[in-house]
Amino acid sequence: MHPIVRFALLASLVACGGSGTSAPSSPPATPTAPTAPVIPTTPAALTVARTRTHELTVDGVKRSFIVYSPGGASTTDSLPVVFMLHGTSGDGEKFYNTSQWKEKCETVKCIAIFPSSLEYCIIDDGVQKRTTKWHTKELENLACAGQTLADDVKFFRQMVGDLRTNYRIDGRRVYVSGFSNGAGMSSLLWAAASDLLAAAASSAGFNADSTVVSTSRVPYFFTIGELDDNLAQTIGFKLPLPLNETALNVPWFKLVGSQALSRLGLSQTHTTTIGATGVSFHFATPASPNAEMYFWVVKGLAHQYANGTNYPIRYADVFWEFFARHSR
């Protein structure tokens, strides 16, 4: 029997008082209103990885730097920035290709910057030649007479300004890493541009100029290879460098360490860790999280920026872990 016919027959029997199925003791439940369809939200727009070369004019001289911005980040997010500074004879493109910072920034979503220094005439070990160098104390000691040395701290400040204009950057998370002469430059910026930096890392180089005054305390990470013949020649120390507590007695590090600890307001108190990758020393004070410094002698490493190919670890991984803990 059709359901509608069955329902009509039941109703007539109840109305006439005849025998049959009793009427329900309570009214049927009110039908539930249909649920509104769920409209999927539009996912946040995501960035596309891209590499661009920027140019600036600093004191009348054209300067350039490569910017790598990662893919897959929300276009509404402000991203941290890492500057990677090349060594003598290098340029931004070289470390764009070899440092592993663009790869790291693609993973953790940061913007990687690879600037180029200018080329100068220098006299090194009595030989005159032309090469790229950052303007640190080292260049002042080697430069041929009659040259105007660029203000690379000013160049750095203008790069940060350019990034603020053209990218969504987190100004509280600007970091710098450098190798060799670039390490000297990163340590110079660590003091002279401390108002812009959240942390700095130098590998195989330091700007040993105690006249540079920092305005704020910026965490610092310094590394040197156990077999770094370039630096050993500079400091007059026989290789290999010690992989124990006596590394702190190397004259050159005593100079670097005294300046660094003084700028950070730290004492010589530290913890020492000896492991498969060398020996590291950590100087810190619980009262000031930004007053922190690491010194690491890397076992078996020569004068190189460790990138996973020339050495089993990548400095980009190690330094990012350090950087990510700090903001300005």
Side-chain angles (χ1 to χ4, degrees):
M1 183 183 295
H2 194 280
I4 294 178
V5 176
R6 185 186 302 114
F7 181 80
L9 179 60
L10 173 63
S12 66
L13 290 172
V14 172
C16 296
S19 61
T21 305
S22 301
S25 58
S26 59
T30 303
T32 304
T35 304
V38 177
I39 302 174
T41 57
T42 303
L46 301 179
T47 58
V48 176
R50 64 174 181 171
T51 300
R52 295 176 58 192
T53 298
H54 289 235
E55 290 187 343
L56 295 172
T57 299
V58 184
D59 294 331
V61 179
K62 186 176 289 187
R63 307 295 301 269
S64 68
F65 58 102
I66 299 171
V67 178
Y68 178 81
S69 51
S74 170
T75 56
T76 62
D77 287 345
S78 296
L79 300 183
V81 178
V82 178
F83 285 81
M84 176 67 231
L85 307 181
H86 64 80
T88 299
S89 79
D91 55 28
E93 183 178 4
K94 176 180 179 180
F95 273 77
Y96 170 87
N97 290 322
T98 64
S99 68
Q100 290 292 306
W101 269 112
K102 71 177 186 295
E103 292 82 358
K104 188 65 181 179
C105 279
E106 181 63 26
T107 300
V108 301
K109 307 311 174 193
C110 59
I111 297 174
I113 314 298
F114 305 89
S116 293
S117 67
L118 296 180
E119 185 178 277
Y120 298 98
C121 168
I122 67 169
I123 301 174
D124 190 13
D125 286 336
V127 178
Q128 181 173 307
K129 60 183 179 181
R130 293 194 65 84
T131 189
T132 55
K133 267 192 179 294
W134 297 101
H135 180 185
T136 64
K137 192 70 174 177
E138 177 192 19
L139 177 60
E140 294 176 5
N141 294 333
L142 298 175
C144 303
Q147 296 180 102
T148 299
L149 305 184
D151 186 342
D152 284 329
V153 175
K154 186 175 183 178
F155 176 36
F156 175 76
R157 290 185 177 278
Q158 289 192 205
M159 284 191 287
V160 174
D162 182 84
L163 293 169
R164 290 182 190 277
T165 299
N166 293 294
Y167 298 84
R168 293 185 64 90
I169 72 166
D170 185 346
R172 298 179 67 246
R173 294 188 293 164
V174 176
Y175 310 103
V176 62
S177 174
F179 170 66
S180 195
N181 174 242
M185 188 65 209
S186 67
S187 69
L188 172 58
L189 293 171
W190 169 62
S194 58
D195 57 308
L196 296 180
L197 290 174
S202 300
S203 302
F206 187 82
N207 184 58
D209 185 355
S210 59
T211 64
V212 181
V213 178
S214 57
T215 58
S216 58
R217 292 176 178 177
V218 176
Y220 186 59
F221 201 133
F222 177 75
T223 71
I224 181 173
E226 177 197 16
L227 305 179
D228 190 328
D229 54 346
N230 183 288
L231 196 54
Q233 181 179 0
T234 301
I235 65 179
F237 192 88
K238 186 177 180 180
L239 295 177
L241 294 174
L243 296 176
N244 52 45
E245 192 74 20
T246 64
L248 296 179
N249 297 325
V250 174
W252 190 80
F253 177 70
K254 292 179 75 171
L255 170 65
V256 172
S258 64
Q259 288 189 21
L261 295 176
S262 176
R263 286 174 181 158
L264 288 168
L266 293 171
S267 70
Q268 294 285 344
T269 303
H270 62 275
T271 57
T272 303
T273 302
I274 299 175
T277 57
V279 57
S280 65
F281 307 93
H282 183 214
F283 302 81
T285 172
S288 178
N290 277 345
E292 176 183 35
M293 184 179 79
Y294 282 93
F295 169 49
W296 179 24
V297 181
V298 185
K299 184 177 181 178
L301 184 67
H303 191 68
Q304 298 163 301
Y305 193 86
N307 62 16
T309 299
N310 57 18
Y311 192 77
I313 64 167
R314 299 194 309 175
Y315 276 154
D317 295 330
V318 175
F319 294 154
W320 176 255
E321 183 179 342
F322 173 68
F323 290 162
R325 297 205 309 267
H326 298 285
S327 63
R328 199 165 49 80

Short mmCIF file of all heavy atoms in Angstrom, two decimals, residues 257-284:
data_model
loop_
_atom_site.label_atom_id
_atom_site.label_comp_id
_atom_site.label_asym_id
_atom_site.label_seq_id
_atom_site.Cartn_x
_atom_site.Cartn_y
_atom_site.Cartn_z
N GLY A 257 87.72 37.01 22.05
CA GLY A 257 86.85 36.75 23.19
C GLY A 257 86.74 37.92 24.14
O GLY A 257 85.65 38.23 24.62
N SER A 258 87.85 38.60 24.40
CA SER A 258 87.79 39.72 25.34
C SER A 258 86.91 40.84 24.79
O SER A 258 86.13 41.45 25.53
CB SER A 258 89.20 40.24 25.64
OG SER A 258 89.81 40.76 24.46
N GLN A 259 87.02 41.13 23.49
CA GLN A 259 86.17 42.17 22.89
C GLN A 259 84.70 41.75 22.91
O GLN A 259 83.82 42.54 23.26
CB GLN A 259 86.61 42.46 21.46
CG GLN A 259 87.92 43.22 21.35
CD GLN A 259 88.19 43.67 19.92
OE1 GLN A 259 87.29 43.77 19.10
NE2 GLN A 259 89.44 43.95 19.62
N ALA A 260 84.45 40.50 22.51
CA ALA A 260 83.07 40.03 22.43
C ALA A 260 82.41 39.99 23.81
O ALA A 260 81.28 40.45 23.98
CB ALA A 260 83.03 38.65 21.78
N LEU A 261 83.10 39.45 24.77
CA LEU A 261 82.54 39.35 26.11
C LEU A 261 82.30 40.73 26.71
O LEU A 261 81.30 40.96 27.40
CB LEU A 261 83.45 38.52 27.01
CG LEU A 261 83.62 37.05 26.63
CD1 LEU A 261 84.63 36.37 27.54
CD2 LEU A 261 82.29 36.32 26.68
N SER A 262 83.21 41.66 26.41
CA SER A 262 83.04 43.02 26.91
C SER A 262 81.79 43.67 26.32
O SER A 262 81.01 44.31 27.03
CB SER A 262 84.28 43.85 26.56
OG SER A 262 84.10 45.20 26.94
N ARG A 263 81.57 43.50 25.01
CA ARG A 263 80.39 44.10 24.38
C ARG A 263 79.09 43.49 24.91
O ARG A 263 78.06 44.15 24.96
CB ARG A 263 80.47 43.91 22.87
CG ARG A 263 81.49 44.84 22.20
CD ARG A 263 81.63 44.54 20.73
NE ARG A 263 82.62 45.42 20.12
CZ ARG A 263 83.26 45.15 18.99
NH1 ARG A 263 83.02 44.01 18.36
NH2 ARG A 263 84.13 46.00 18.49
N LEU A 264 79.16 42.21 25.28
CA LEU A 264 77.97 41.53 25.78
C LEU A 264 77.81 41.65 27.29
O LEU A 264 76.81 41.21 27.84
CB LEU A 264 78.02 40.05 25.39
CG LEU A 264 77.80 39.76 23.91
CD1 LEU A 264 78.17 38.32 23.58
CD2 LEU A 264 76.36 40.03 23.52
N GLY A 265 78.80 42.22 27.96
CA GLY A 265 78.73 42.34 29.40
C GLY A 265 78.84 41.02 30.11
O GLY A 265 78.26 40.82 31.19
N LEU A 266 79.61 40.08 29.53
CA LEU A 266 79.74 38.74 30.09
C LEU A 266 81.09 38.54 30.77
O LEU A 266 82.08 39.19 30.41
CB LEU A 266 79.60 37.69 28.99
CG LEU A 266 78.22 37.56 28.34
CD1 LEU A 266 78.30 36.65 27.12
CD2 LEU A 266 77.20 37.03 29.33
N SER A 267 81.12 37.63 31.70
CA SER A 267 82.37 37.24 32.34
C SER A 267 82.97 36.06 31.58
O SER A 267 82.43 35.60 30.59
CB SER A 267 82.11 36.84 33.79
OG SER A 267 81.38 35.61 33.84
N GLN A 268 84.09 35.56 32.09
CA GLN A 268 84.74 34.40 31.47
C GLN A 268 84.05 33.08 31.85
O GLN A 268 84.43 32.02 31.34
CB GLN A 268 86.21 34.34 31.90
CG GLN A 268 87.06 35.50 31.38
CD GLN A 268 87.40 35.35 29.91
OE1 GLN A 268 87.27 34.28 29.33
NE2 GLN A 268 87.84 36.44 29.28
N THR A 269 83.06 33.14 32.70
CA THR A 269 82.36 31.92 33.11
C THR A 269 81.65 31.30 31.92
O THR A 269 80.96 31.99 31.16
CB THR A 269 81.33 32.25 34.20
OG1 THR A 269 82.00 32.88 35.30
CG2 THR A 269 80.64 30.98 34.69
N HIS A 270 81.80 29.99 31.76
CA HIS A 270 81.25 29.33 30.58
C HIS A 270 81.05 27.84 30.85
O HIS A 270 81.53 27.30 31.85
CB HIS A 270 82.18 29.51 29.38
CG HIS A 270 83.54 28.90 29.60
ND1 HIS A 270 84.56 29.57 30.25
CD2 HIS A 270 84.04 27.67 29.27
CE1 HIS A 270 85.63 28.80 30.31
NE2 HIS A 270 85.34 27.64 29.72
N THR A 271 80.35 27.21 29.92
CA THR A 271 80.24 25.75 29.91
C THR A 271 80.96 25.23 28.68
O THR A 271 80.93 25.87 27.61
CB THR A 271 78.77 25.30 29.89
OG1 THR A 271 78.12 25.85 28.74
CG2 THR A 271 78.04 25.74 31.14
N THR A 272 81.61 24.09 28.81
CA THR A 272 82.39 23.50 27.72
C THR A 272 81.76 22.17 27.30
O THR A 272 81.39 21.36 28.15
CB THR A 272 83.84 23.24 28.17
OG1 THR A 272 84.42 24.47 28.62
CG2 THR A 272 84.67 22.66 27.04
N THR A 273 81.62 22.00 25.98
CA THR A 273 81.09 20.75 25.45
C THR A 273 82.08 20.18 24.43
O THR A 273 82.43 20.86 23.46
CB THR A 273 79.73 20.96 24.76
OG1 THR A 273 78.81 21.52 25.70
CG2 THR A 273 79.18 19.64 24.24
N ILE A 274 82.53 18.96 24.65
CA ILE A 274 83.45 18.29 23.72
C ILE A 274 82.72 17.11 23.10
O ILE A 274 82.14 16.28 23.79
CB ILE A 274 84.72 17.81 24.44
CG1 ILE A 274 85.46 19.00 25.05
CG2 ILE A 274 85.63 17.05 23.48
CD1 ILE A 274 86.68 18.61 25.89
N GLY A 275 82.70 17.07 21.75
CA GLY A 275 81.97 16.01 21.07
C GLY A 275 82.58 15.67 19.73
O GLY A 275 83.72 16.05 19.43
N ALA A 276 81.81 14.98 18.91
CA ALA A 276 82.32 14.48 17.63
C ALA A 276 82.67 15.60 16.66
O ALA A 276 83.50 15.41 15.76
CB ALA A 276 81.28 13.56 17.00
N THR A 277 82.06 16.77 16.82
CA THR A 277 82.34 17.87 15.90
C THR A 277 83.27 18.92 16.50
O THR A 277 83.39 20.01 15.94
CB THR A 277 81.03 18.56 15.46
OG1 THR A 277 80.33 19.02 16.62
CG2 THR A 277 80.16 17.60 14.68
N GLY A 278 83.94 18.60 17.59
CA GLY A 278 84.90 19.54 18.15
C GLY A 278 84.57 19.96 19.55
O GLY A 278 83.94 19.22 20.32
N VAL A 279 84.97 21.17 19.89
CA VAL A 279 84.74 21.69 21.23
C VAL A 279 84.03 23.04 21.13
O VAL A 279 84.35 23.86 20.27
CB VAL A 279 86.06 21.84 22.02
CG1 VAL A 279 87.06 22.75 21.30
CG2 VAL A 279 85.81 22.36 23.44
N SER A 280 83.03 23.23 21.98
CA SER A 280 82.31 24.50 21.99
C SER A 280 82.26 25.06 23.40
O SER A 280 82.24 24.31 24.39
CB SER A 280 80.89 24.34 21.43
OG SER A 280 80.11 23.51 22.27
N PHE A 281 82.24 26.39 23.45
CA PHE A 281 82.19 27.11 24.73
C PHE A 281 80.98 28.04 24.69
O PHE A 281 80.79 28.78 23.72
CB PHE A 281 83.47 27.91 24.94
CG PHE A 281 84.73 27.08 24.81
CD1 PHE A 281 85.39 27.01 23.58
CD2 PHE A 281 85.24 26.37 25.88
CE1 PHE A 281 86.54 26.24 23.44
CE2 PHE A 281 86.39 25.60 25.75
CZ PHE A 281 87.05 25.54 24.53
N HIS A 282 80.20 28.01 25.75
CA HIS A 282 78.99 28.83 25.81
C HIS A 282 79.10 29.80 26.97
O HIS A 282 79.24 29.40 28.13
CB HIS A 282 77.76 27.94 25.99
CG HIS A 282 76.48 28.69 25.98
ND1 HIS A 282 75.39 28.31 26.74
CD2 HIS A 282 76.08 29.81 25.31
CE1 HIS A 282 74.39 29.15 26.54
NE2 HIS A 282 74.79 30.07 25.68
N PHE A 283 79.04 31.08 26.65
CA PHE A 283 79.08 32.15 27.64
C PHE A 283 77.69 32.78 27.69
O PHE A 283 77.15 33.18 26.65
CB PHE A 283 80.10 33.21 27.26
CG PHE A 283 81.51 32.69 27.08
CD1 PHE A 283 81.88 32.07 25.90
CD2 PHE A 283 82.45 32.84 28.09
CE1 PHE A 283 83.18 31.59 25.72
CE2 PHE A 283 83.75 32.36 27.92
CZ PHE A 283 84.10 31.73 26.74
N ALA A 284 77.11 32.87 28.88
CA ALA A 284 75.76 33.42 28.98
C ALA A 284 75.48 33.87 30.40
O ALA A 284 76.22 33.53 31.33
CB ALA A 284 74.72 32.38 28.55
#
